[in-house]
């Protein structure tokens, strides 16, 4: 048995090198546990010894190293989705859905005691990252349970035809309000921004009959819309014609009133002149009357009142010839 020979330690592996290596490793650990980067879609919740300290926004931030401070990055700018009654296998331009059904989520009882399958989604956003991290333990399960409870309640308050037809939008709006109120009471730190009902179908045995009813409802709504369109087309037109006739009548009335006022003013003026000189005015009115009577006559014979003599009135036409034909006795 040979004795082991002693080999001296290399000169470069001295105490100084070891100290520098320890310092370098400590610096790496210090830097890696002291700085962190928050993405634009996130907020970072920082705790110190497990107790909440602060919330930081996007950018680079410093915290105490070696696990004294810990950060939890929460996606507060991302809209998250939960699906009920179906699952999406692949999202995109051509979305692929799973063939598996989830009747425990989608089968519900309506207010008129009919069974209906309702598929829906909710979209929510985290608005309070601190509450999201620390107030509720099973966050996803809580969201799904509350959503199912609200939709079941709203569907159970309505008849099946209302759920399938006219009340879809009302259910979606009321569901948003009720879910947000419940999540606020739980302190979950989220806000539901959309509830969308997807497929709503009756049981398979009566599905064809309900589809016929749904088509009839759609036809009814279409006919109502067409009637409203025709109403909106004809009524303004008739109203415009009525306004036109009214305006014409008002114009005619104003014209007749103005003419009557002019006649009255003219009569009053003549009467004033008549009072000043009755004989002259009477004679002038007589001449004007005679002139108006004979203005369209081409030949006239005047006979005296006793029919003892007559005086032919000779008129010249445009050609310069006399028109001496007697038109009648005056």
């Amino acid at each position: 048995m040979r004795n082991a020979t002693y080999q001296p330690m290399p000169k470069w592996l001295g105490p100084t090198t070891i100290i520098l290596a320890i310092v370098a490793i400590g610096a790496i650990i210090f830097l890696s546990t002291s700085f962190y980067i928050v993405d634009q879609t996130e907020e970072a919740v920082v705790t110190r010894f497990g107790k909440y300290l602060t919330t930081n926004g996007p950018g680079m931030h410093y915290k105490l190293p070696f696990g004294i401070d810990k950060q939890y990055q929460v996606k507060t700018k991302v809209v998250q989705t939960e699906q009920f009654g179906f699952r999406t296998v692949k999202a995109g331009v051509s979305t692929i859905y799973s063939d598996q059904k989830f009747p425990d989520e989608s089968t519900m009882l309506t207010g008129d005691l009919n069974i209906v399958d309702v598929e829906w989604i909710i979209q929510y956003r985290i608005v309070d990252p601190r509450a999201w991290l620390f107030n509720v333990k099973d966050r996803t399960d809580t969201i799904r349970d509350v959503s199912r409870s609200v939709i079941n309640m709203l569907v159970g308050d309505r008849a099946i035809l209302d759920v399938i037809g006219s009340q879809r939008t009302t259910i979606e709006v009321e569901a948003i309000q009720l879910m947000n109120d419940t999540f606020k009471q739980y302190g979950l730190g989220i806000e539901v921004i959309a509830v969308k009902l997807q497929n709503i179908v009756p049981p398979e045995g009566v599905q064809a009959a309900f589809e016929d009813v749904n088509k009839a409802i759609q036809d009814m709504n279409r006919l109502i819309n067409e009637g409203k369109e025709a109403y909106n087309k004809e009524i303004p037109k008739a109203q415009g014609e009525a306004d036109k006739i009214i305006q014409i009548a008002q114009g005619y009335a104003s014209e007749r009133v103005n003419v009557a006022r002019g006649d009255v003013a003219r009569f009053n003026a003549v009467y004033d002149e008549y009072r000043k000189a009755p004989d002259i005015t009477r004679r002038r009115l007589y001449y004007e009357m005679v002139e108006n009577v004979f203005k369209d006559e081409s030949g006239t014979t005047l006979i005296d009142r006793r029919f003892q003599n007559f005086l032919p009135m000779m008129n010249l036409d445009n050609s310069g010839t006399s028109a001496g034909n007697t038109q009648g006795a005056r």
Side-chain angles (χ1 to χ4, degrees), residues 35-276:
F35 295 94
Y36 61 95
I37 298 176
V38 181
D39 188 74
Q40 293 291 331
T41 62
E42 300 174 336
E43 291 184 23
V45 176
V46 181
T47 60
R48 179 168 295 171
F49 297 114
K51 184 178 180 180
Y52 172 78
L53 179 63
T54 185
T55 301
N56 295 322
M60 178 177 288
H61 302 278
Y62 170 79
K63 63 183 177 70
L64 295 180
F66 308 117
I68 298 175
D69 290 351
K70 293 182 179 180
Q71 90 278 1
Y72 303 90
Q73 296 178 204
V74 181
K75 294 186 178 297
T76 57
K77 301 297 187 295
V78 177
V79 176
Q80 303 185 49
T81 302
E82 290 292 334
Q83 300 175 340
F84 299 85
F86 69 102
R87 298 292 185 271
T88 300
V89 177
K90 180 181 178 182
V93 178
S94 298
T95 304
I96 301 176
Y97 298 100
S98 173
D99 294 334
Q100 183 180 0
K101 301 296 182 180
F102 300 88
D104 57 328
E105 296 178 353
S106 61
T107 303
M108 303 179 187
L109 189 66
T110 62
D112 54 356
L113 303 180
N114 283 294
I115 298 175
V116 64
D117 291 330
V118 181
E119 297 177 354
W120 77 98
I121 65 171
I122 68 168
Q123 294 178 332
Y124 65 93
R125 186 168 54 85
I126 300 172
V127 294
D128 187 346
R130 177 184 179 184
W132 171 258
L133 288 174
F134 303 124
N135 288 356
V136 178
K137 181 179 180 181
D138 298 323
R139 298 183 289 268
T140 301
D141 291 341
T142 301
I143 293 174
R144 297 187 65 84
D145 290 343
V146 170
S147 178
R148 290 175 57 187
S149 175
V150 169
I151 297 298
N152 271 278
M153 180 185 67
L154 294 175
V155 171
D157 290 340
R158 292 166 172 82
I160 187 171
L161 293 181
D162 294 333
V163 175
I164 294 176
S166 60
Q167 293 292 312
R168 290 176 63 106
T169 303
T170 304
I171 293 174
E172 292 173 349
V173 174
E174 292 183 3
I176 294 175
Q177 183 65 41
L178 291 173
M179 290 181 192
N180 281 330
D181 291 343
T182 305
F183 292 142
K184 185 176 181 181
Q185 293 177 1
Y186 290 170
L188 193 57
I190 68 171
E191 178 186 10
V192 177
I193 59 178
V195 175
K196 297 295 183 182
L197 299 179
Q198 304 295 314
N199 293 330
I200 303 178
V201 294
E204 295 182 358
V206 295
Q207 187 170 353
F210 274 95
E211 288 179 356
D212 292 339
V213 172
N214 194 23
K215 291 179 181 178
I217 294 174
Q218 293 177 359
D219 291 339
M220 178 189 69
N221 293 331
R222 177 178 57 81
L223 293 174
I224 291 174
N225 293 332
E226 290 177 356
K228 290 181 179 179
E229 182 181 358
Y231 175 88
N232 294 330
K233 181 179 179 180
E234 295 297 330
I235 294 302
K237 180 180 178 180
Q239 186 64 43
E241 293 177 354
D243 293 340
K244 179 181 177 180
I245 294 173
I246 292 174
Q247 292 176 359
I248 292 175
Q250 291 175 347
Y252 178 76
S254 299
E255 179 184 3
R256 297 302 300 170
V257 170
N258 292 332
V259 170
R261 288 177 179 175
D263 293 341
V264 171
R266 184 169 59 255
F267 177 83
N268 290 335
V270 173
Y271 180 69
D272 291 340
E273 296 297 328
Y274 176 79
R275 293 179 62 185
K276 295 177 182 178

Side-chain angles (χ1 to χ4, degrees), residues 272-315:
D272 291 340
E273 296 297 328
Y274 176 79
R275 293 179 62 185
K276 295 177 182 178
D279 294 337
I280 297 175
T281 304
R282 189 184 300 113
R283 187 176 297 111
R284 181 173 61 82
L285 292 174
Y286 176 76
Y287 291 157
E288 290 178 356
M289 183 272 295
V290 171
E291 180 181 2
N292 186 50
V293 170
F294 293 103
K295 65 180 180 179
D296 296 329
E297 299 293 337
S298 59
T300 305
T301 301
L302 296 181
I303 303 175
D304 63 356
R305 184 175 299 177
R306 296 179 181 179
F307 299 99
Q308 295 179 353
N309 197 1
F310 66 91
L311 177 65
M313 301 295 294
M314 308 299 293
N315 295 327

Side-chain angles (χ1 to χ4, degrees), residues 315-323:
N315 295 327
L316 298 177
D317 56 12
N318 293 334
S319 62
T321 60
S322 63

